[in-house]
Amino acid sequence: MNVVLKGWRPILVLILLIIAWEISCRLCNIPGWLLPAPTEIVQEMVSGWSNYNGHLLATIKLIIIGFLIGSSVGIFIAVCLHLVPFLRQAFYPILIISQNIPIIVLAPLLVIWFGFGMLPKIIVITLVCFFPITVSLLDGFRQTDRDLLHYMQMAGATKRQIFWKLEWPYALPSLFSGLKISATYSVMGAVISEWLGASKGIGVYMTLASSSFRTDRVFVAIMVIIILSLLFFLFILFLEKRIIRWKPGEEGNAYESA
Amino acid sequence: MNQLEIHNLAKFYGTKKVLKDISFTVRDGEFVSILGPSGSGKSTLFQMIGGITKPSSGTIYLNGKNINGKRGHISYTPQSASLLPWRTVLENVVLGQEIAGKKDLEKARKMIKRAGLEGFEEAYPHELSGGMKQRVSFIRSMMSPQSLILLDEPFSALDEFTRLDMQQWLLSIWEEHKKSILFVTHNIEEALFLSDRIIVFSSSPTTIKQEFSLPFPRPRDRKILLTDEFLHWKRKIYQSLSGDESEQLSK
């Protein structure tokens, strides 16, 4: 409720933009294949549901599988790099540089190597997903409170105890900020991977629509993708609220010298 | 019986001498304060006693055993309360025991009650005031299996009123359990009120300037703060500290 109350300004701007779009489409008689009016898009979204619901399901399945695998890989890599300093020194710079390779240029290679099945698509999603998670989780591990670490070490905690009792819970908020980014990336990854070649999926629906100049359907696909990203993001946000019940970033009293 | 014995301890970082010629002891059940200007290598000393930094030379004995670079023999309470924010008060209190292997929730509940924190067992640290957090942190040390507690300026972040209450509270809990305490502070009154002995440090490089045994009886009352004898000791220690570092002292 609070969000709605506070968020009325951006919502108002959005509504005004859509109204302007609608009016200019009608006034200037812009043809539907060039730019459909918002009302036409909504109409197609509702009436064409049976045309794309199969595609939608396929994409959701792909996103979930890809995201689960991608984030597991991301967490695994972060933990390995954190626990073995040699690996971190060796691989962290490479990892950063590797992010300069646009995933889309790797896609044709993946098709050559793995064909048009599920595997290359999951690889694409994994590649876009794991990086934000690895980087933010590693960051979280590194920011572990020094005083707490010293306390644990002096108390004789083993490396394993320090990891599970201190570093892992300490890094959870960072992990979630990585997961939130990856959640939206995985939707994008899924659509891109479907462009490469698939029999079903929102990406396929979109390519079909654009090659037959059904611009309204292209917009429907875009809307569906936006909604999916948003829902996915909200789901992660919900999980975060459930899992992290303490207040992060709490600080002690300011220093007062007597 | 000497519980902690430190012999000719020194620490260099490169050619920079941080600590040298440090020798002192803490007897069983004794309350010893280290008094010195901030930044006088006290945290380095604690890290060496705690085993996370190795001394450049010298030896640290605990109950006759060499503990250079060995961890798990002492319980350390850092300057900030250092509670785990995702654990409740009760779960934080048993952390020290958990690390050592076995936890005693019943005893922890009793200690929390004794510490005046009844009803806060299930509260999270962000719901507590600064003084309460310090109490939890101190009970955690008292509950830990180690018999020597290192307290690193635990009250420096508290206001004067809370600090006085906390000092009295600390003594009342400590007098029941009689663990050995090595306490770092830069407040002369605090050191005088709490300790059996005071070791005065000088800075850069840190060495021991002087050592005092205090005659005040226990249990201590806040009234002694205003006695002539107390003021006499305060002057004595102030003179020992004064000179180059006196202006760095908080009081």
Side-chain angles (χ1 to χ4, degrees):
Chain A
M1 200 55 207
N2 216 356
V3 178
V4 178
L5 285 176
K6 276 186 194 158
W8 66 271
R9 272 170 274 238
I11 289 173
L12 184 70
V13 172
L14 273 180
I15 291 173
L16 285 176
L17 276 176
I18 290 171
I19 290 174
W21 177 1
E22 181 79 36
I23 291 173
S24 39
C25 274
R26 284 175 194 269
L27 281 183
C28 308
N29 272 327
I30 298 174
W33 59 267
L34 197 59
L35 181 68
T39 44
E40 288 167 45
I41 294 168
V42 173
Q43 214 166 32
E44 177 58 30
M45 214 170 158
V46 177
S47 63
W49 167 252
S50 57
N51 291 332
Y52 66 82
N53 65 359
H55 293 296
L56 183 60
L57 275 178
T59 304
I60 291 177
K61 198 174 125 199
L62 185 61
I63 294 170
I64 291 174
I65 296 174
F67 178 71
L68 285 179
I69 295 177
S71 40
S72 315
V73 170
I75 292 170
F76 179 76
I77 292 178
V79 171
C80 286
L81 294 192
H82 172 67
L83 293 181
V84 188
F86 168 75
L87 286 182
R88 183 174 60 226
Q89 286 152 16
F91 282 101
Y92 193 67
I94 299 176
L95 209 62
I96 301 280
I97 294 168
S98 76
Q99 288 307 300
N100 290 313
I101 307 168
I103 299 299
I104 200 150
V105 304
L106 293 179
L109 271 182
L110 293 175
V111 171
I112 294 173
W113 291 337
F114 304 107
F116 292 98
M118 201 69 167
L119 189 61
K121 299 184 181 63
I122 286 173
I123 293 176
V124 167
I125 301 177
T126 304
L127 284 176
V128 294
C129 261
F130 90 94
F131 183 74
I133 293 174
T134 301
V135 168
S136 47
L137 193 55
L138 270 177
D139 246 24
F141 286 143
R142 290 176 78 110
Q143 280 167 11
T144 305
D145 191 90
R146 289 292 112 184
D147 273 350
L148 277 169
L149 190 63
H150 284 165
Y151 167 78
M152 298 279 281
Q153 287 174 334
M154 288 194 199
T158 58
K159 235 187 154 182
R160 193 194 187 129
Q161 283 175 324
I162 289 177
F163 181 77
W164 285 115
K165 290 187 200 297
L166 179 65
E167 289 171 326
W168 176 256
Y170 213 91
L172 271 184
S174 311
L175 171 64
F176 270 101
S177 45
L179 284 177
K180 277 184 266 184
I181 298 173
S182 292
T184 50
Y185 276 19
S186 66
V187 177
M188 181 190 78
V191 174
I192 290 177
S193 69
E194 282 166 356
W195 285 346
L196 302 175
S199 50
K200 260 184 168 181
I202 289 295
V204 178
Y205 173 79
M206 201 171 181
T207 2
L208 287 177
S210 95
S211 52
S212 54
F213 284 92
R214 287 296 304 266
T215 314
D216 51 346
R217 288 191 178 172
V218 175
F219 272 102
V220 168
I222 293 173
M223 288 302 293
V224 167
I225 292 166
I226 292 173
I227 292 169
L228 268 183
S229 289
L230 210 63
L231 284 180
F232 218 42
F233 180 84
L234 287 176
F235 176 69
I236 303 289
L237 206 66
F238 168 77
L239 274 187
E240 185 182 15
K241 286 265 152 64
R242 286 298 298 270
I243 292 174
I244 303 174
R245 271 165 297 163
W246 69 92
K247 268 191 193 153
E250 54 109 13
E251 57 222 54
N253 292 358
Y255 270 72
E256 294 170 49
S257 45
Chain B
M1 184 182 136
N2 287 338
Q3 195 182 25
L4 178 74
E5 265 186 76
I6 291 180
H7 284 297
N8 293 318
L9 206 63
K11 180 75 189 172
F12 320 108
Y13 287 112
T15 53
K16 196 177 167 251
K17 272 188 182 168
V18 184
L19 282 141
K20 65 168 196 180
D21 300 335
I22 303 286
S23 301
F24 65 87
T25 59
V26 178
R27 276 173 228 119
D28 213 5
E30 198 180 22
F31 198 126
V32 177
S33 287
I34 291 175
L35 188 63
S38 318
S40 58
K42 288 171 294 190
S43 24
T44 311
L45 176 65
F46 271 13
Q47 285 179 11
M48 287 192 284
I49 300 174
I52 56 177
T53 307
K54 277 198 172 160
S56 304
S57 67
T59 330
I60 304 163
Y61 295 101
L62 190 77
N63 298 324
K65 256 188 1 205
N66 182 338
I67 57 158
N68 279 14
K70 294 208 179 86
R71 297 171 180 183
H73 294 286
I74 53 114
S75 179
Y76 166 68
T77 301
Q79 205 163 353
S80 59
S82 293
L83 305 175
L84 300 180
W86 51 87
R87 284 179 172 234
T88 62
V89 167
L90 185 65
E91 289 166 342
N92 263 299
V93 165
V94 294
L95 179 64
Q97 292 187 321
E98 220 177 286
I99 291 170
K102 50 178 191 307
K103 47 183 176 178
D104 184 350
L105 286 173
E106 256 331 286
K107 198 181 159 204
R109 278 181 204 282
K110 264 186 216 152
M111 279 290 268
I112 291 170
K113 198 173 163 187
R114 171 70 188 80
L117 290 168
E118 202 179 1
F120 287 97
E121 290 90 348
E122 304 304 324
Y124 285 95
H126 72 262
E127 297 167 304
L128 305 179
S129 71
M132 284 158 95
K133 278 188 243 179
Q134 282 297 353
R135 286 183 196 211
V136 175
S137 170
F138 182 68
I139 311 173
R140 177 176 67 188
S141 288
M142 290 305 262
M143 289 284 297
S144 297
Q146 295 89 353
S147 56
L148 176 68
I149 298 178
L150 302 187
L151 291 171
D152 191 357
E153 298 181 20
F155 305 143
S156 60
L158 303 175
D159 63 82
E160 191 70 24
F161 299 102
T162 318
R163 183 200 289 244
L164 281 173
D165 283 344
M166 287 294 291
Q167 290 166 357
Q168 193 111 60
W169 175 86
L170 174 67
L171 283 183
S172 70
I173 299 272
W174 173 72
E175 272 156 7
E176 267 178 32
H177 294 265
K178 285 291 177 188
K179 289 198 175 195
S180 318
I181 291 185
L182 186 59
F183 187 92
V184 162
T185 179
H186 47 242
N187 186 316
I188 299 176
E189 263 187 39
E190 185 167 277
L192 276 170
F193 180 58
L194 295 173
S195 351
D196 296 314
R197 271 188 303 133
I198 295 180
I199 299 165
V200 177
F201 274 29
S202 70
S203 62
S204 55
T206 300
T207 49
I208 292 178
K209 248 188 181 171
Q210 229 172 332
E211 210 183 299
F212 300 93
S213 287
L214 304 176
F216 308 117
R218 292 194 188 272
R220 287 197 187 155
D221 195 280
R222 210 183 282 180
K223 282 178 200 138
I224 65 161
L225 287 174
L226 296 173
T227 58
D228 285 339
E229 203 189 0
F230 192 88
L231 294 175
H232 162 76
W233 275 98
K234 192 174 169 182
R235 199 173 308 128
K236 213 163 148 180
I237 286 169
Y238 185 78
Q239 276 160 359
S240 159
L241 272 164
S242 64
D244 45 325
E245 308 100 346
S246 61
E247 70 278 3
Q248 291 175 31
L249 290 172
S250 66
K251 229 180 171 171

